[in-house]
Amino acid sequence: MTPLDRFSGHAGLYAQYRIDYPADLYDFLMTYVTNRQMAWDCATGNGQVANVLADLFEQVEATDISETQLLLAVKKSNIHYQQSQAEHTPFSDHTFDLITVAQALHWFDINAFHQEVRRVAKPGATIAEWGYGLVKAGPDLDKLIVDFYRNRVGPYWDPQRVHIDNAYSSLPFPFADCQVKPFTIRRSWPLDRFLNYLRTWSAVRQYIHENEEDPVNDLGDVLKPLWGETERELTFPVFLRIGKVN
C-alpha cells in the first residue's frame, strides 16, 4: 500500500497555520505514561506534537513520509526526525514508552500500523491517537463553513476523511485499558488567519490543483461583512483515544 502524502506541496502553509493542541490533552496523556525515556511521534508533520513531547521525555523520535515537512519541523536537541512510513519503521523492538499520532491515523494502513506499534512499544507502553473535527465559529458563520466543507470542497476530500467526521469510531483500536476523551481547542483569530488555515485543508489544495482557482477567496468575500475587523472566537472539537500495549 503506497502511503498518501497530501501535505508536502503546502508544507510552508501547514507549518505556519495549522493549529496545535491544548495543554490539558497532554496533561491527561501523561497520566497514562509510566516512564518518560523514549517517545515516538508518528506522522509528525511540522513537529508540533514532538515539540511538546521533547519537554516531557528524554528522547523523541519523530517520523513522517514528507521530507519537506520534516525540513520545516521544529528543531530541538532531543528530537530526531527521519523520513519513514508509519507501518514500517527503522526502530528496534520494544523501544518506546509512548507512541502518538495526531490528525493522521486515517491515512494509514491501520492494521499494519498497529502491528508496528506492538513491535516497537515497550511492554505496558502507551498508545495515543487523536484528531480534531470541523471548526465552529458561531451561529452566524457555521452554516456557511459547513456548506463550504461539504459542498464546495466536499467532493475533493479523500474517502478517509469520513474517519475524522466519525471521530475514529469505525477504526479498530486493539489495545488494553482503552479510554476515549474529548477536548476542545480554542483560538481567537482574525479572518485572514482563518482563511489561511482553510488553505491547509487537503481538499482545498486538491480543488486548487484541479480548478486552478482558490475557493477560499469566495468564502472570504462572504464571511468578511459578518466577521468584521475583530478576531473571532473559534473552537475545534478534539477526539482522543488512548490505551496500553501489552
Side-chain angles (χ1 to χ4, degrees):
M1 180 177 178
T2 303
L4 288 170
D5 181 358
R6 290 289 185 261
F7 303 101
S8 288
H10 60 289
L13 270 176
Y14 192 96
Q16 187 172 358
Y17 294 113
R18 273 286 170 140
I19 56 175
D20 52 9
Y21 302 103
D24 57 343
L25 183 152
Y26 293 103
D27 291 341
F28 175 75
L29 190 158
M30 294 310 295
T31 66
Y32 260 67
V33 176
T34 304
N35 298 309
R36 300 190 180 188
Q37 295 173 320
M38 293 288 293
W40 170 30
D41 183 38
C42 182
T44 193
N46 60 9
Q48 58 175 270
V49 174
N51 181 41
V52 177
L53 296 181
D55 293 334
L56 302 170
F57 285 80
E58 294 178 19
Q59 180 67 34
V60 176
E61 293 288 339
T63 60
D64 203 280
I65 60 171
S66 170
E67 181 181 8
T68 308
Q69 289 267 42
L70 294 177
L71 288 172
L72 296 174
V74 178
K75 304 300 189 294
K76 282 186 176 177
S77 60
N78 64 332
I79 303 176
H80 176 234
Y81 292 104
Q82 59 184 315
Q83 198 171 4
S84 174
Q85 295 183 30
E87 303 85 354
H88 305 284
T89 70
F91 305 126
S92 300
D93 294 355
H94 311 309
T95 296
F96 296 106
D97 304 292
L98 171 68
I99 297 169
T100 59
V101 54
Q103 197 69 359
L105 183 72
H106 51 292
W107 299 114
F108 299 170
D109 177 338
I110 189 167
N111 292 324
F113 170 65
H114 284 160
Q115 183 177 354
E116 185 71 351
V117 166
R118 290 188 181 282
R119 185 184 70 80
V120 302
K122 295 177 183 177
T126 299
I127 169 72
E129 302 170 345
W130 70 87
Y132 61 91
L134 186 62
V135 59
K136 294 186 180 298
D140 57 334
L141 301 183
D142 286 346
K143 288 184 179 180
L144 297 169
I145 294 169
V146 168
D147 179 70
F148 179 80
Y149 175 77
R150 291 180 178 171
N151 299 318
R152 185 67 185 274
V153 301
Y156 298 87
W157 287 110
D158 287 282
Q160 293 90 334
R161 181 69 191 187
V162 69
H163 297 305
I164 292 292
D165 294 334
N166 293 337
Y168 288 170
S169 62
S170 59
L171 293 178
F173 191 72
F175 300 103
D177 301 328
C178 175
Q179 186 168 346
V180 176
K181 188 173 178 64
F183 296 89
T184 302
I185 300 169
R186 303 183 190 278
R187 295 291 179 268
S188 182
W189 286 349
L191 178 58
D192 285 351
R193 173 68 176 80
F194 175 70
L195 297 178
N196 280 322
Y197 159 72
L198 296 183
R199 291 185 175 101
T200 71
W201 286 3
S202 60
V204 169
R205 306 317 302 177
Q206 188 63 24
Y207 185 105
I208 293 171
H209 174 72
E210 293 188 24
N211 298 282
E212 298 184 349
E213 65 175 20
D214 184 351
V216 174
N217 291 336
D218 290 341
L219 179 63
D221 291 340
V222 175
L223 293 182
K224 187 172 183 179
L226 299 171
W227 197 287
E229 299 300 323
T230 60
E231 294 186 346
R232 275 269 182 163
E233 296 297 321
L234 309 174
T235 60
F236 300 79
V238 179
F239 48 91
L240 174 140
R241 58 189 195 176
I242 192 168
K244 290 288 187 178
V245 184
N246 293 331

